[in-house]
Short mmCIF file of all heavy atoms in Angstrom, two decimals:
data_model
loop_
_atom_site.label_atom_id
_atom_site.label_comp_id
_atom_site.label_asym_id
_atom_site.label_seq_id
_atom_site.Cartn_x
_atom_site.Cartn_y
_atom_site.Cartn_z
N MET K 1 0.84 -1.17 0.00
CA MET K 1 0.00 0.00 0.00
C MET K 1 0.89 1.24 0.00
O MET K 1 1.78 1.37 0.82
CB MET K 1 -0.90 0.00 1.24
CG MET K 1 -1.69 1.27 1.35
SD MET K 1 -2.55 1.54 2.92
CE MET K 1 -3.56 0.13 3.07
N LYS K 2 0.61 2.14 -0.93
CA LYS K 2 1.38 3.39 -0.99
C LYS K 2 0.76 4.43 -0.08
O LYS K 2 -0.46 4.57 0.00
CB LYS K 2 1.38 3.94 -2.42
CG LYS K 2 2.21 3.14 -3.37
CD LYS K 2 2.26 3.84 -4.71
CE LYS K 2 3.12 3.07 -5.68
NZ LYS K 2 3.19 3.73 -6.98
N LYS K 3 1.61 5.13 0.62
CA LYS K 3 1.16 6.23 1.47
C LYS K 3 1.39 7.53 0.70
O LYS K 3 2.47 7.74 0.16
CB LYS K 3 1.94 6.25 2.78
CG LYS K 3 1.48 7.32 3.72
CD LYS K 3 2.21 7.24 5.04
CE LYS K 3 1.71 8.35 5.95
NZ LYS K 3 2.40 8.34 7.23
N THR K 4 0.40 8.37 0.64
CA THR K 4 0.55 9.64 -0.06
C THR K 4 0.56 10.78 0.94
O THR K 4 -0.04 10.69 2.02
CB THR K 4 -0.58 9.87 -1.07
OG1 THR K 4 -1.83 9.87 -0.38
CG2 THR K 4 -0.61 8.78 -2.12
N ILE K 5 1.27 11.80 0.59
CA ILE K 5 1.29 13.02 1.40
C ILE K 5 1.00 14.20 0.50
O ILE K 5 1.24 14.15 -0.71
CB ILE K 5 2.64 13.22 2.12
CG1 ILE K 5 3.78 13.35 1.12
CG2 ILE K 5 2.90 12.10 3.10
CD1 ILE K 5 5.08 13.77 1.73
N GLU K 6 0.48 15.25 1.07
CA GLU K 6 0.23 16.47 0.32
C GLU K 6 1.31 17.47 0.69
O GLU K 6 1.64 17.63 1.87
CB GLU K 6 -1.14 17.04 0.65
CG GLU K 6 -2.28 16.21 0.13
CD GLU K 6 -3.62 16.85 0.44
OE1 GLU K 6 -3.97 16.89 1.63
OE2 GLU K 6 -4.27 17.30 -0.50
N ILE K 7 1.85 18.13 -0.32
CA ILE K 7 2.87 19.15 -0.10
C ILE K 7 2.36 20.45 -0.71
O ILE K 7 1.89 20.48 -1.84
CB ILE K 7 4.21 18.75 -0.75
CG1 ILE K 7 4.73 17.46 -0.12
CG2 ILE K 7 5.22 19.88 -0.63
CD1 ILE K 7 5.98 16.93 -0.76
N PHE K 8 2.47 21.52 0.06
CA PHE K 8 2.04 22.84 -0.38
C PHE K 8 3.19 23.82 -0.20
O PHE K 8 4.07 23.61 0.63
CB PHE K 8 0.85 23.33 0.45
CG PHE K 8 -0.35 22.44 0.36
CD1 PHE K 8 -0.53 21.39 1.23
CD2 PHE K 8 -1.30 22.65 -0.63
CE1 PHE K 8 -1.62 20.56 1.16
CE2 PHE K 8 -2.41 21.83 -0.72
CZ PHE K 8 -2.57 20.78 0.17
N THR K 9 3.17 24.88 -0.97
CA THR K 9 4.15 25.95 -0.79
C THR K 9 3.43 27.21 -0.36
O THR K 9 2.24 27.38 -0.62
CB THR K 9 4.92 26.22 -2.10
OG1 THR K 9 4.00 26.67 -3.10
CG2 THR K 9 5.63 24.98 -2.58
N ILE K 10 4.15 28.07 0.32
CA ILE K 10 3.59 29.37 0.68
C ILE K 10 4.52 30.44 0.15
O ILE K 10 5.73 30.24 0.04
CB ILE K 10 3.39 29.53 2.20
CG1 ILE K 10 4.71 29.36 2.96
CG2 ILE K 10 2.36 28.55 2.71
CD1 ILE K 10 4.59 29.65 4.44
N GLY K 11 3.96 31.56 -0.19
CA GLY K 11 4.76 32.66 -0.72
C GLY K 11 5.35 33.50 0.39
O GLY K 11 5.14 33.27 1.58
N PHE K 12 6.08 34.50 -0.01
CA PHE K 12 6.75 35.41 0.92
C PHE K 12 5.78 36.48 1.39
O PHE K 12 4.99 37.00 0.64
CB PHE K 12 7.94 36.06 0.22
CG PHE K 12 8.60 37.10 1.07
CD1 PHE K 12 9.49 36.75 2.04
CD2 PHE K 12 8.30 38.43 0.90
CE1 PHE K 12 10.09 37.70 2.83
CE2 PHE K 12 8.88 39.40 1.69
CZ PHE K 12 9.78 39.02 2.66
N THR K 13 5.83 36.79 2.65
CA THR K 13 5.07 37.91 3.18
C THR K 13 5.85 38.53 4.33
O THR K 13 6.62 37.85 5.00
CB THR K 13 3.67 37.47 3.67
OG1 THR K 13 2.97 38.63 4.15
CG2 THR K 13 3.75 36.45 4.77
N LYS K 14 5.64 39.79 4.56
CA LYS K 14 6.29 40.47 5.68
C LYS K 14 5.44 40.38 6.94
O LYS K 14 5.85 40.81 8.00
CB LYS K 14 6.53 41.94 5.34
CG LYS K 14 7.56 42.12 4.25
CD LYS K 14 7.80 43.58 3.97
CE LYS K 14 8.77 43.75 2.83
NZ LYS K 14 9.00 45.14 2.49
N ASN K 15 4.24 39.80 6.81
CA ASN K 15 3.31 39.74 7.92
C ASN K 15 3.37 38.37 8.60
O ASN K 15 2.73 37.42 8.17
CB ASN K 15 1.90 40.03 7.41
CG ASN K 15 0.90 40.16 8.53
OD1 ASN K 15 1.07 39.60 9.60
ND2 ASN K 15 -0.16 40.91 8.27
N ARG K 16 4.11 38.29 9.66
CA ARG K 16 4.31 37.04 10.39
C ARG K 16 2.99 36.47 10.89
O ARG K 16 2.75 35.27 10.80
CB ARG K 16 5.27 37.28 11.55
CG ARG K 16 5.37 36.14 12.51
CD ARG K 16 6.37 36.40 13.58
NE ARG K 16 5.83 37.33 14.57
CZ ARG K 16 6.51 37.77 15.60
NH1 ARG K 16 7.76 37.40 15.77
NH2 ARG K 16 5.98 38.58 16.45
N SER K 17 2.12 37.31 11.41
CA SER K 17 0.84 36.85 11.94
C SER K 17 0.01 36.15 10.87
O SER K 17 -0.62 35.13 11.14
CB SER K 17 0.03 38.02 12.51
OG SER K 17 0.71 38.59 13.59
N ARG K 18 0.02 36.70 9.68
CA ARG K 18 -0.76 36.11 8.59
C ARG K 18 -0.26 34.70 8.26
O ARG K 18 -1.06 33.78 8.07
CB ARG K 18 -0.69 37.00 7.36
CG ARG K 18 -1.53 36.52 6.23
CD ARG K 18 -1.53 37.54 5.11
NE ARG K 18 -2.20 36.98 3.96
CZ ARG K 18 -2.10 37.47 2.75
NH1 ARG K 18 -1.35 38.54 2.53
NH2 ARG K 18 -2.73 36.93 1.75
N ILE K 19 1.03 34.52 8.20
CA ILE K 19 1.60 33.20 7.90
C ILE K 19 1.19 32.21 8.98
O ILE K 19 0.67 31.13 8.68
CB ILE K 19 3.15 33.26 7.83
CG1 ILE K 19 3.59 34.02 6.59
CG2 ILE K 19 3.74 31.85 7.81
CD1 ILE K 19 5.09 34.25 6.52
N PHE K 20 1.42 32.53 10.24
CA PHE K 20 1.15 31.60 11.32
C PHE K 20 -0.35 31.36 11.50
O PHE K 20 -0.76 30.24 11.83
CB PHE K 20 1.82 32.03 12.60
CG PHE K 20 3.32 31.97 12.52
CD1 PHE K 20 4.10 33.09 12.74
CD2 PHE K 20 3.96 30.79 12.17
CE1 PHE K 20 5.48 33.03 12.64
CE2 PHE K 20 5.34 30.71 12.07
CZ PHE K 20 6.10 31.84 12.31
N ASP K 21 -1.16 32.38 11.29
CA ASP K 21 -2.61 32.19 11.36
C ASP K 21 -3.08 31.20 10.29
O ASP K 21 -3.87 30.30 10.56
CB ASP K 21 -3.36 33.52 11.20
CG ASP K 21 -3.23 34.41 12.42
OD1 ASP K 21 -2.78 33.94 13.48
OD2 ASP K 21 -3.58 35.61 12.29
N ASN K 22 -2.58 31.37 9.07
CA ASN K 22 -2.96 30.47 7.98
C ASN K 22 -2.49 29.04 8.26
O ASN K 22 -3.23 28.08 8.00
CB ASN K 22 -2.39 30.95 6.64
CG ASN K 22 -3.09 32.17 6.12
OD1 ASN K 22 -4.22 32.46 6.50
ND2 ASN K 22 -2.43 32.89 5.24
N LEU K 23 -1.28 28.89 8.77
CA LEU K 23 -0.78 27.55 9.08
C LEU K 23 -1.61 26.90 10.18
O LEU K 23 -1.95 25.72 10.10
CB LEU K 23 0.70 27.62 9.50
CG LEU K 23 1.69 28.03 8.41
CD1 LEU K 23 3.06 28.25 9.01
CD2 LEU K 23 1.73 27.01 7.29
N THR K 24 -1.95 27.66 11.20
CA THR K 24 -2.75 27.15 12.31
C THR K 24 -4.15 26.76 11.84
O THR K 24 -4.64 25.67 12.15
CB THR K 24 -2.84 28.18 13.44
OG1 THR K 24 -1.53 28.48 13.88
CG2 THR K 24 -3.66 27.67 14.61
N GLU K 25 -4.79 27.64 11.08
CA GLU K 25 -6.14 27.37 10.59
C GLU K 25 -6.18 26.14 9.67
O GLU K 25 -7.17 25.41 9.64
CB GLU K 25 -6.69 28.59 9.84
CG GLU K 25 -7.01 29.75 10.75
CD GLU K 25 -7.33 31.03 9.98
OE1 GLU K 25 -7.51 30.96 8.74
OE2 GLU K 25 -7.38 32.09 10.62
N SER K 26 -5.09 25.92 8.96
CA SER K 26 -5.02 24.78 8.04
C SER K 26 -4.57 23.50 8.73
O SER K 26 -4.44 22.46 8.10
CB SER K 26 -4.05 25.11 6.90
OG SER K 26 -4.51 26.23 6.19
N LYS K 27 -4.29 23.59 10.03
CA LYS K 27 -3.85 22.45 10.84
C LYS K 27 -2.57 21.80 10.29
O LYS K 27 -2.41 20.59 10.28
CB LYS K 27 -4.96 21.42 10.97
CG LYS K 27 -6.18 22.00 11.67
CD LYS K 27 -7.28 21.02 11.81
CE LYS K 27 -8.44 21.73 12.50
NZ LYS K 27 -9.63 20.90 12.54
N VAL K 28 -1.65 22.66 9.87
CA VAL K 28 -0.36 22.20 9.36
C VAL K 28 0.42 21.57 10.50
O VAL K 28 0.50 22.12 11.59
CB VAL K 28 0.42 23.38 8.72
CG1 VAL K 28 1.84 22.98 8.38
CG2 VAL K 28 -0.31 23.87 7.49
N LYS K 29 1.03 20.42 10.24
CA LYS K 29 1.78 19.70 11.27
C LYS K 29 3.28 19.88 11.14
O LYS K 29 4.02 19.69 12.09
CB LYS K 29 1.45 18.21 11.20
CG LYS K 29 0.01 17.91 11.54
CD LYS K 29 -0.27 16.44 11.45
CE LYS K 29 -1.73 16.16 11.75
NZ LYS K 29 -2.05 14.75 11.59
N CYS K 30 3.76 20.23 9.95
CA CYS K 30 5.20 20.34 9.73
C CYS K 30 5.49 21.42 8.70
O CYS K 30 4.82 21.50 7.69
CB CYS K 30 5.74 18.99 9.25
SG CYS K 30 7.51 19.00 8.93
N VAL K 31 6.49 22.24 9.00
CA VAL K 31 6.93 23.28 8.06
C VAL K 31 8.42 23.06 7.81
O VAL K 31 9.19 22.87 8.75
CB VAL K 31 6.71 24.70 8.64
CG1 VAL K 31 7.27 25.76 7.71
CG2 VAL K 31 5.24 24.94 8.90
N ILE K 32 8.81 23.08 6.54
CA ILE K 32 10.21 22.89 6.18
C ILE K 32 10.68 24.13 5.43
O ILE K 32 10.10 24.53 4.43
CB ILE K 32 10.39 21.64 5.29
CG1 ILE K 32 9.91 20.40 6.05
CG2 ILE K 32 11.85 21.50 4.86
CD1 ILE K 32 9.85 19.16 5.20
N ASP K 33 11.74 24.75 5.94
CA ASP K 33 12.33 25.93 5.33
C ASP K 33 13.38 25.47 4.31
O ASP K 33 14.39 24.91 4.68
CB ASP K 33 12.98 26.78 6.41
CG ASP K 33 13.55 28.09 5.89
OD1 ASP K 33 13.62 28.27 4.66
OD2 ASP K 33 13.93 28.92 6.73
N THR K 34 13.11 25.72 3.04
CA THR K 34 14.02 25.23 1.99
C THR K 34 14.83 26.35 1.35
O THR K 34 15.42 26.15 0.29
CB THR K 34 13.24 24.50 0.88
OG1 THR K 34 12.31 25.41 0.29
CG2 THR K 34 12.52 23.30 1.45
N ARG K 35 14.88 27.51 1.99
CA ARG K 35 15.67 28.59 1.41
C ARG K 35 17.14 28.22 1.38
O ARG K 35 17.65 27.58 2.30
CB ARG K 35 15.49 29.87 2.24
CG ARG K 35 14.07 30.42 2.16
CD ARG K 35 13.90 31.60 3.07
NE ARG K 35 14.02 31.16 4.47
CZ ARG K 35 14.21 31.99 5.48
NH1 ARG K 35 14.31 33.28 5.29
NH2 ARG K 35 14.30 31.53 6.71
N VAL K 36 17.83 28.63 0.33
CA VAL K 36 19.25 28.34 0.20
C VAL K 36 20.04 29.04 1.29
O VAL K 36 20.92 28.47 1.92
CB VAL K 36 19.77 28.74 -1.20
CG1 VAL K 36 21.27 28.61 -1.27
CG2 VAL K 36 19.12 27.89 -2.26
N ASN K 37 19.74 30.30 1.53
CA ASN K 37 20.45 31.08 2.54
C ASN K 37 19.41 31.78 3.40
O ASN K 37 18.87 32.81 3.02
CB ASN K 37 21.37 32.10 1.85
CG ASN K 37 22.19 32.88 2.85
OD1 ASN K 37 21.97 32.81 4.05
ND2 ASN K 37 23.14 33.65 2.36
N ASN K 38 19.12 31.20 4.55
CA ASN K 38 18.04 31.74 5.37
C ASN K 38 18.39 33.03 6.11
O ASN K 38 17.60 33.56 6.85
CB ASN K 38 17.54 30.68 6.36
CG ASN K 38 18.57 30.32 7.40
OD1 ASN K 38 19.69 30.81 7.37
ND2 ASN K 38 18.20 29.45 8.31
N ALA K 39 19.57 33.56 5.92
CA ALA K 39 19.94 34.83 6.55
C ALA K 39 19.91 35.99 5.56
O ALA K 39 20.07 37.13 5.94
CB ALA K 39 21.32 34.72 7.17
N SER K 40 19.71 35.70 4.28
CA SER K 40 19.81 36.75 3.28
C SER K 40 18.47 37.31 2.83
O SER K 40 18.42 38.29 2.11
CB SER K 40 20.56 36.23 2.05
OG SER K 40 19.77 35.27 1.37
N GLN K 41 17.39 36.71 3.22
CA GLN K 41 16.08 37.16 2.75
C GLN K 41 15.42 38.10 3.74
O GLN K 41 15.86 38.25 4.87
CB GLN K 41 15.22 35.94 2.42
CG GLN K 41 15.87 35.16 1.28
CD GLN K 41 14.99 34.01 0.81
OE1 GLN K 41 13.81 33.99 1.09
NE2 GLN K 41 15.56 33.08 0.10
N LEU K 42 14.33 38.74 3.32
CA LEU K 42 13.76 39.85 4.05
C LEU K 42 12.94 39.48 5.30
O LEU K 42 12.73 40.33 6.14
CB LEU K 42 12.85 40.65 3.10
CG LEU K 42 13.58 41.27 1.91
CD1 LEU K 42 12.58 41.93 0.98
CD2 LEU K 42 14.64 42.26 2.36
N ALA K 43 12.48 38.27 5.41
CA ALA K 43 11.62 37.91 6.55
C ALA K 43 12.47 37.77 7.82
O ALA K 43 12.93 36.70 8.16
CB ALA K 43 10.88 36.61 6.27
N GLY K 44 12.65 38.86 8.50
CA GLY K 44 13.51 38.88 9.68
C GLY K 44 13.10 37.91 10.77
O GLY K 44 13.94 37.36 11.45
N PHE K 45 11.79 37.68 10.93
CA PHE K 45 11.34 36.76 11.97
C PHE K 45 11.74 35.34 11.67
O PHE K 45 11.73 34.50 12.56
CB PHE K 45 9.82 36.85 12.15
CG PHE K 45 9.04 36.30 10.97
CD1 PHE K 45 8.72 34.96 10.92
CD2 PHE K 45 8.65 37.13 9.94
CE1 PHE K 45 8.01 34.44 9.86
CE2 PHE K 45 7.94 36.62 8.88
CZ PHE K 45 7.63 35.27 8.83
N ALA K 46 12.09 35.03 10.41
CA ALA K 46 12.44 33.65 10.04
C ALA K 46 13.93 33.44 9.87
O ALA K 46 14.37 32.36 9.55
CB ALA K 46 11.72 33.28 8.74
N LYS K 47 14.71 34.50 10.10
CA LYS K 47 16.15 34.37 9.91
C LYS K 47 16.79 33.55 11.02
O LYS K 47 16.42 33.65 12.18
CB LYS K 47 16.81 35.75 9.88
CG LYS K 47 16.55 36.51 8.61
CD LYS K 47 17.32 37.80 8.61
CE LYS K 47 17.04 38.57 7.34
NZ LYS K 47 17.72 39.85 7.33
N LYS K 48 17.73 32.75 10.63
CA LYS K 48 18.48 31.96 11.60
C LYS K 48 19.81 32.66 11.86
O LYS K 48 20.45 33.15 10.94
CB LYS K 48 18.75 30.56 11.02
CG LYS K 48 19.60 29.68 11.90
CD LYS K 48 19.86 28.35 11.22
CE LYS K 48 20.82 27.54 12.02
NZ LYS K 48 21.21 26.31 11.31
N LYS K 49 20.22 32.73 13.11
CA LYS K 49 21.51 33.32 13.43
C LYS K 49 22.60 32.36 13.04
O LYS K 49 22.56 31.17 13.36
CB LYS K 49 21.60 33.66 14.91
CG LYS K 49 20.63 34.76 15.31
CD LYS K 49 20.76 35.11 16.75
CE LYS K 49 19.76 36.21 17.07
NZ LYS K 49 19.80 36.62 18.44
N ILE K 50 23.58 32.86 12.33
CA ILE K 50 24.69 32.02 11.86
C ILE K 50 25.86 32.12 12.81
O ILE K 50 26.17 33.12 13.36
CB ILE K 50 25.12 32.43 10.44
CG1 ILE K 50 23.93 32.25 9.51
CG2 ILE K 50 26.29 31.62 9.97
CD1 ILE K 50 24.18 32.71 8.10
#
């Protein structure tokens, strides 16, 4: 039996509340950050300290 998963992408926004509200309302269980360089993009709340 094959197990299927659904994968969605989200666009960039400067509004942190909007992103997290949408994820919560959609009952998202896992978020994966696939940016090549997570310190170079504009979303300051998502930047990782290097």
Side-chain angles (χ1 to χ4, degrees):
M1 174 191 303
K2 289 185 178 181
K3 182 176 180 181
T4 60
I5 61 171
E6 290 182 292
I7 298 175
F8 300 90
T9 62
I10 59 174
F12 175 81
T13 181
K14 292 182 183 178
N15 187 334
R16 170 177 76 182
S17 297
R18 184 174 172 197
I19 290 173
F20 293 122
D21 288 347
N22 288 339
L23 293 172
T24 301
E25 290 170 11
S26 300
K27 299 180 181 173
V28 171
K29 295 179 182 177
C30 179
V31 176
I32 300 171
D33 183 350
T34 61
R35 294 175 294 164
V36 172
N37 184 351
N38 66 357
S40 69
Q41 297 186 18
L42 298 175
F45 69 88
K47 287 185 181 177
K48 176 182 174 186
K49 294 182 180 180
I50 299 176

